[in-house]
């Protein structure tokens, strides 16, 4: 479950001493704290308009240039793919174990001088969750920098079925130049609160899901992703856990 508010960045440049011992602060030694909060469950009406406008400007039939990139590999995850999800008794033990995700990235350049310069599709699978991410980068960022959409699934049995399922988008994010980001995500119920009513955002999720489905076809990921994942050796996708040294035996 995604919490209603996500802490994006918190930077403390100095530690606050006890008030009784605190000396008068000057501009040179005054602590600086910067905190940005994103309301991902219920964005404002103005933020909804910005998301809708950005999604509407994504080309449906783009002209790709000759440059492209396909890469694959493995990545050790320092945190679970669902690090925003609350822990349960069943997952606490497994969270301490290293997790390795296989990934594939496909990147294409747009051929014409349009709003967006390139698009990148990423697929990752850590054995428990599969995640698709589509990111479009703006050619000349003045206000908008990039638009990203993401979907995730844990009940689908294989990457082949995942990329063929047209899983709907569950997260949308706008990175803006000189401003805080805007995000919208599907939010579930918590132990202390029911799920928020997100019916007003269905058109935005539907629009993002249509963009994802379209670019799956345009980038040919239904064939590329399984083929690229098959090239990753199985032993590389397993975390290497050092075994404890055996106690030495004394010679008689």
């Amino acid at each position: 479950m995604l919490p209603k508010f996500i802490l994006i960045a918190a930077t403390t440049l100095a530690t606050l001493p006890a008030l009784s011992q605190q000396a008068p602060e000057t501009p040179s030694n005054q602590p600086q704290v910067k905190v940005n909060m994103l309301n991902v469950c219920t964005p404002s009406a103005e933020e909804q308009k910005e998301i809708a406008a950005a999604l509407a400007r994504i080309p449906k039939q783009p002209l790709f240039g000759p440059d492209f990139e396909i890469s694959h590999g493995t990545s050790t995850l320092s945190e679970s793919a669902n690090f925003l999800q609350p822990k349960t008794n069943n997952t606490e033990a497994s969270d301490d174990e290293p997790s390795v995700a296989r990934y594939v990235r496909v990147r294409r350049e747009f051929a014409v001088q349009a709003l967006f310069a390139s698009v990148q599709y990423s697929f990752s699978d850590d054995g428990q969750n599969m995640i698709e991410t589509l990111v479009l980068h703006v050619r000349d960022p003045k206000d908008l920098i990039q638009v990203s959409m993401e979907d995730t699934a844990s009940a689908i049995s294989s990457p082949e079925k995942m990329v063929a399922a047209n899983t709907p988008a569950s997260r949308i994010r706008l990175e803006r130049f000189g401003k805080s980001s805007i995000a919208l995500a599907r939010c579930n119920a918590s132990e202390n609160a029911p799920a928020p009513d997100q019916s007003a955002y269905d058109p935005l999720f539907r629009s993002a899901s249509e963009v994802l489905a379209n670019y799956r076809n345009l980038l040919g990921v239904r064939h590329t992703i399984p083929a690229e994942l098959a090239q990753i050796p199985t032993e590389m996708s397993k975390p290497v856990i050092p075994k404890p040294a055996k106690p030495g035996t004394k010679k008689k």
Side-chain angles (χ1 to χ4, degrees):
M1 181 205 81
L2 287 168
K4 186 172 183 179
F5 293 96
I6 295 181
L7 183 63
I8 296 301
T11 306
T12 304
L13 302 182
T15 304
L16 289 172
L19 293 177
S20 60
Q21 301 176 358
Q22 184 175 0
E25 294 178 348
T26 63
S28 60
N29 64 6
Q30 184 175 0
Q32 299 181 17
V33 179
K34 182 179 180 181
V35 178
N36 292 330
M37 306 290 291
L38 289 186
N39 184 354
V40 301
C41 295
T42 54
S44 66
E46 185 63 29
E47 291 173 335
Q48 295 175 51
K49 291 180 180 179
E50 288 200 44
I51 294 174
L55 293 174
R57 299 183 71 180
I58 297 175
K60 296 181 179 179
Q61 296 180 334
L63 294 176
F64 291 126
D67 297 339
F68 72 94
E69 176 187 357
I70 300 177
S71 61
H72 65 254
T74 61
S75 177
T76 302
L77 306 179
S78 57
E79 295 184 76
S80 168
N82 283 339
F83 67 96
L84 293 176
Q85 300 283 352
K87 293 182 178 181
T88 63
N89 293 334
N90 294 331
T91 60
E92 287 178 353
S94 61
D95 286 342
D96 294 332
E97 298 178 359
S99 177
V100 173
R102 300 182 300 161
Y103 69 85
V104 178
R105 298 191 185 105
V106 180
R107 187 174 185 272
R108 294 296 304 264
E109 304 282 343
F110 292 117
V112 296
Q113 296 293 321
L115 172 65
F116 297 99
S118 64
V119 58
Q120 177 176 293
Y121 169 93
S122 301
F123 181 94
S124 68
D125 177 16
D126 67 358
Q128 296 182 347
N129 297 279
M130 287 177 281
I131 301 173
E132 291 180 291
T133 306
L134 186 74
V135 182
L136 292 104
H137 302 90
V138 173
R139 186 180 304 277
D140 184 17
K142 296 178 180 179
D143 181 34
L144 183 65
I145 298 176
Q146 67 179 33
V147 183
S148 64
M149 288 141 280
E150 181 179 290
D151 67 79
T152 180
S154 57
I156 299 179
S157 60
S158 67
E160 291 84 355
K161 292 183 179 180
M162 175 70 174
V163 294
N166 274 340
T167 308
S170 57
R171 186 175 181 85
I172 310 165
R173 185 183 181 95
L174 306 185
E175 297 288 348
R176 302 185 298 173
F177 185 79
K179 300 179 183 179
S180 60
S181 302
I182 296 176
L184 171 63
R186 288 292 187 189
C187 300
N188 300 321
S190 65
E191 295 180 356
N192 301 321
D197 182 8
Q198 294 188 298
S199 57
Y201 315 124
D202 285 344
L204 296 177
F205 284 116
R206 183 164 55 251
S207 178
S209 299
E210 291 173 355
V211 172
L212 262 174
N214 185 38
Y215 275 82
R216 287 189 191 100
N217 291 328
L218 293 171
L219 299 174
V221 301
R222 288 180 175 84
H223 303 288
T224 302
I225 299 305
E228 292 292 321
L229 289 175
Q231 297 183 48
I232 302 175
T234 305
E235 59 271 13
M236 290 181 61
S237 62
K238 296 180 180 180
V240 178
I241 304 175
K243 296 181 180 179
K246 295 181 180 179
T249 56
K250 295 183 180 180
K251 297 182 179 180
K252 295 182 179 180

